[in-house]
Amino acid sequence: MVYPTIPLAQSIIELCKAKKLTNVVISPGSRNAPLTIGFTNDPFFTCYSIADERCAAFFGMGLAQQTRIPTILVCTSGSALLNYYPAVAEAFYSQIPLIVLSADRPLHKIDIGDGQTIRQQNVYQNHILYSANLTEDANSTNDQLINTAINTAITSQGPVHINAPFEEPLYQTTEQLSVNPIVEEPLFPALPAVDYDYYAKQWNKATKKLILVGSLAPHTLTDDVIAKLTADGSTLFLAETISNIQAPGVINAIDRLVIPMDDEALQNLQPDILLTFGGMVVSKKIKQFLRQYAPKQHWHVDMLRHYDTYDCLTDRISTDAQSFLTQLTANTQPISSTYSSWANAIMVARNTQHKQLLQDAIFSDFTALDYIVNQLPKNSQIQVSNSAVIRYVQLLPVDSSIAVFCNRGTSGIDGCTSTAIGASIGSGKSTVLLTGDISFFYDSNALWNAYVPKDFKIVLINNGGGGIFRTLPGHQENEVFNTYFETTHQHTAQHLAAMYDWAYFQADTTEALSTQTQAFFNTSDKPAILEVNTPTLLNDEVFKKYYRNM
């Protein structure tokens, strides 16, 4: 075995190995050479080399999103670790475990004019669970800091930062391990007891209970517990598409239900108890509704965090959703109420209208995505970029065998492609990214990746700019809007596909989309892009007409 000669690098690598962290994403550099030598020469680790640190961090986050095991990110000193920051913030709010391992200059070389040197200590302080600022030596204090950082990422499911200063020479190796670091096992904190009798009594008294679920990993809840909840006429179950909960009695297209409602209907929808779990919620309208028509009680169930998203949080329940709902349904009885049947009857009529409106609509972002989602391979995974595309997908029925993910922690367009590629490797599933043009071109370095699976696919909806801004109040058709809001452009992905040797398909009509989609999904010898060009000036009208006629 080949080791770096620097003892501190040895300690870091041995502690990562002891905690069974296998995935390491390395961005090439010099100051991180001791870490790179150690990780790449140990067959225990699976190492990936990705030059662009922003892409590398999102790629690593995609791996961790699927495995729930911390991914290690290794970079050189200077601005390199700043490029990790967007992914660090996303991981912080999405509760995805990352370990940022940054190489640094020794402390005495900071702020003296040395090259590639910045103030790296605590650089992520507003969006990090723990920062370990190491000294140059391998010692028990450093071991404790490293242990605490790794254990925090594991137990608290989020990003941590280990900053390691190395002095030259950096590239020397040895066949002898000179350290034996102390390994501290992660300790999961004891959770407060849940008073199930209290919650069962409250649940049994309420005639209008609303369950709202944001982003959630697939198979978090069993079919049995969902069936028990939806069988209760006083319980209305709303679950976003990214909740990965699709079952009879569960309403997924939340905006289709809520946006067209008048004041009287919204008052009828106002719950006595709001029960939430899962991560961030996409629907802006449901947030506005619950803030205006506040429930008497809001319970949020989560092992780690309890955000007061609707300004009415009353109960922070520290357990997992499956355990809580299993206990709750074992001690509650269905209540005679029209709450659920009323909402579901509205939804039946709206679903019928939805199909008719899309059938009659012109070729657009909405109709193209509706067609493509219907063609997705069963048992696959879709990653969805932010901005307009996720809002369209939230309105479309997705086959229950398909897992759905989106970076909703910060809701940024940056890194969506890189995340999707990492997630495809982490899951081992056939993965399709549904993305908009600005998100795609913004993260085009994601294609500069030697590890993309051959069955990875991108559906690129190219409407020539940030079309979502056309749906917002205040839109005016002028040069300022087109330049500074919409980001008007004439770019296509054809040359990028050729440069990175991806298969490329293009469609700009309903007929072409049908033909090209079939060929696109049948491609299996290399990654593929299907670029769908839609009319820039008409997409917003299709979307607005949809809600006007709902």
Side-chain angles (χ1 to χ4, degrees):
M1 184 78 74
V2 176
Y3 303 99
T5 57
I6 296 176
L8 177 60
Q10 292 184 9
S11 292
I12 293 169
I13 293 160
E14 289 302 302
L15 284 169
C16 289
K17 187 174 182 178
K19 295 176 190 295
K20 300 179 173 58
L21 308 182
T22 57
N23 286 323
V24 185
V25 183
I26 300 170
S27 292
S30 182
R31 188 60 50 171
N32 56 334
L35 297 170
T36 301
I37 290 167
F39 283 121
T40 57
N41 278 287
D42 191 330
F44 176 82
F45 298 104
T46 301
C47 296
Y48 304 89
S49 176
I50 297 180
D52 185 322
E53 283 88 3
R54 188 175 70 185
C55 294
F58 277 108
F59 173 86
M61 198 188 73
L63 286 169
Q65 177 199 80
Q66 298 298 310
T67 64
R68 306 312 303 178
I69 299 170
T71 300
I72 302 165
L73 306 175
V74 180
C75 70
T76 192
S77 63
S79 62
L81 77 160
L82 300 182
N83 290 307
Y84 283 163
Y85 210 141
V88 169
E90 177 63 35
F92 179 80
Y93 286 109
S94 288
Q95 296 180 227
I96 295 174
L98 286 180
I99 297 172
V100 174
L101 187 44
S102 59
D104 198 358
R105 264 32 178 201
L107 189 60
H108 67 272
K109 290 190 174 180
I110 309 300
D111 288 344
I112 65 167
D114 211 28
Q116 206 168 332
T117 305
I118 65 170
R119 300 173 187 175
Q120 295 186 192
Q121 294 189 0
N122 305 315
V123 74
Y124 306 118
Q125 61 182 346
N126 288 329
H127 301 95
I128 205 78
L129 297 181
Y130 186 79
S131 294
N133 298 307
L134 308 183
T135 57
E136 291 177 64
D137 302 320
N139 53 49
S140 59
T141 300
N142 276 339
D143 288 351
Q144 186 176 33
L145 291 170
I146 298 163
N147 272 290
T148 302
I150 298 173
N151 290 345
T152 300
I154 293 170
T155 60
S156 298
Q157 291 288 289
V160 298
H161 178 205
I162 301 172
N163 191 60
F166 298 126
E167 183 58 281
E168 298 177 11
L170 302 169
Y171 291 88
Q172 292 183 334
T173 62
T174 178
E175 295 183 357
Q176 298 298 320
L177 194 62
S178 62
V179 299
N180 185 25
I182 299 169
V183 178
E184 298 174 2
E185 294 300 325
L187 295 176
F188 291 86
L191 298 175
V194 178
D195 188 347
Y196 287 105
D197 288 340
Y198 167 79
Y199 289 112
K201 288 175 183 176
Q202 296 297 312
W203 195 260
N204 280 329
K205 288 191 294 186
T207 58
K208 294 198 297 182
K209 283 101 66 171
L210 177 62
I211 297 173
L212 175 60
V213 190
S215 61
L216 201 66
H219 313 300
T220 297
L221 296 186
T222 61
D223 293 340
D224 179 61
V225 77
I226 295 171
K228 286 181 179 179
L229 291 164
T230 54
D232 183 350
S234 65
T235 302
L236 179 59
F237 201 130
L238 306 184
E240 295 204 307
T241 302
I242 56 174
S243 73
N244 290 291
I245 297 175
Q246 300 185 41
V250 175
I251 293 176
N252 293 116
I254 297 172
D255 280 351
R256 183 149 71 243
L257 173 69
V258 180
I259 285 179
M261 282 185 166
D262 58 21
D263 287 341
E264 182 181 356
L266 290 172
Q267 288 174 10
N268 289 335
L269 185 62
Q270 182 178 17
D272 300 320
I273 296 174
L274 170 65
L275 170 60
T276 59
F277 54 94
M280 302 297 187
V281 169
V282 176
S283 172
K284 185 177 180 180
K285 185 64 178 180
I286 197 68
K287 295 174 193 173
Q288 292 173 338
F289 159 68
L290 288 168
R291 289 164 184 162
Q292 183 177 356
Y293 297 88
K296 296 173 185 174
Q297 299 180 60
H298 173 200
W299 309 346
H300 187 72
V301 180
D302 194 276
M303 298 281 284
L304 298 169
R305 302 187 201 174
H306 301 83
Y307 291 127
D308 188 8
T309 304
Y310 312 104
D311 303 326
C312 57
L313 184 63
T314 57
D315 294 69
R316 294 170 170 84
I317 302 171
S318 297
T319 186
D320 64 282
Q322 175 64 27
S323 297
F324 179 78
L325 294 173
T326 299
Q327 291 274 16
L328 184 71
T329 55
N331 294 283
T332 54
Q333 299 295 326
I335 294 175
S336 177
S337 171
T338 59
Y339 185 54
S340 175
S341 59
W342 165 77
N344 277 283
I346 293 173
M347 203 60 183
V348 168
R350 298 255 169 92
N351 289 344
T352 300
Q353 186 69 353
H354 163 86
K355 292 177 183 177
Q356 188 62 51
L357 287 168
L358 282 177
Q359 183 178 319
D360 296 341
I362 61 169
F363 182 74
S364 61
D365 291 353
F366 204 173
T367 60
L369 282 165
D370 177 54
Y371 179 81
I372 288 162
V373 168
N374 275 303
Q375 307 303 312
L376 292 169
K378 292 187 185 307
N379 300 306
S380 62
Q381 174 187 120
I382 59 171
Q383 295 274 334
V384 187
S385 75
N386 279 302
S387 202
V389 175
I390 184 59
R391 287 168 171 79
Y392 285 124
V393 172
Q394 288 279 99
L395 292 169
L396 300 173
V398 179
D399 186 88
S400 60
S401 71
I402 298 171
V404 186
F405 295 89
C406 179
N407 287 351
R408 291 306 296 180
T410 61
S411 307
I413 64 168
D414 47 346
C416 294
T417 308
S418 297
T419 302
I421 294 172
S424 69
I425 295 170
S427 68
K429 281 190 170 185
S430 175
T431 300
V432 180
L433 168 66
L434 306 179
T435 187
D437 50 339
I438 303 302
S439 180
F440 173 81
F441 291 117
Y442 197 83
D443 193 27
S444 60
N445 265 1
L447 306 187
W448 185 14
N449 184 313
Y451 312 100
V452 184
K454 290 183 178 180
D455 61 353
F456 183 80
K457 291 177 169 53
I458 296 175
V459 175
L460 166 58
I461 304 297
N462 190 342
N463 53 32
I468 192 172
F469 291 102
R470 292 178 171 274
T471 67
L472 301 178
H475 160 237
Q476 294 181 349
E477 196 65 38
N478 55 42
E479 185 177 350
V480 170
F481 174 84
N482 292 341
T483 302
Y484 296 103
F485 288 90
E486 191 182 39
T487 323
T488 303
H489 69 88
Q490 301 297 320
H491 303 309
T492 76
Q494 185 174 6
H495 295 296
L496 280 170
M499 182 166 69
Y500 292 110
D501 193 28
W502 288 47
Y504 177 79
F505 304 86
Q506 188 273 338
D508 55 10
T509 65
T510 301
E511 295 73 23
L513 181 62
S514 176
T515 302
Q516 293 296 293
T517 299
Q518 188 173 25
F520 169 72
F521 281 119
N522 286 337
T523 298
S524 59
D525 60 337
K526 61 174 66 176
I529 296 172
L530 169 59
E531 183 164 19
V532 184
N533 297 100
T534 61
T536 303
L537 301 178
L538 298 176
N539 284 300
D540 61 311
E541 285 305 316
V542 173
F543 198 54
K544 291 174 183 177
K545 183 179 179 181
Y546 176 84
Y547 281 114
R548 283 199 304 267
N549 292 279
M550 186 53 64

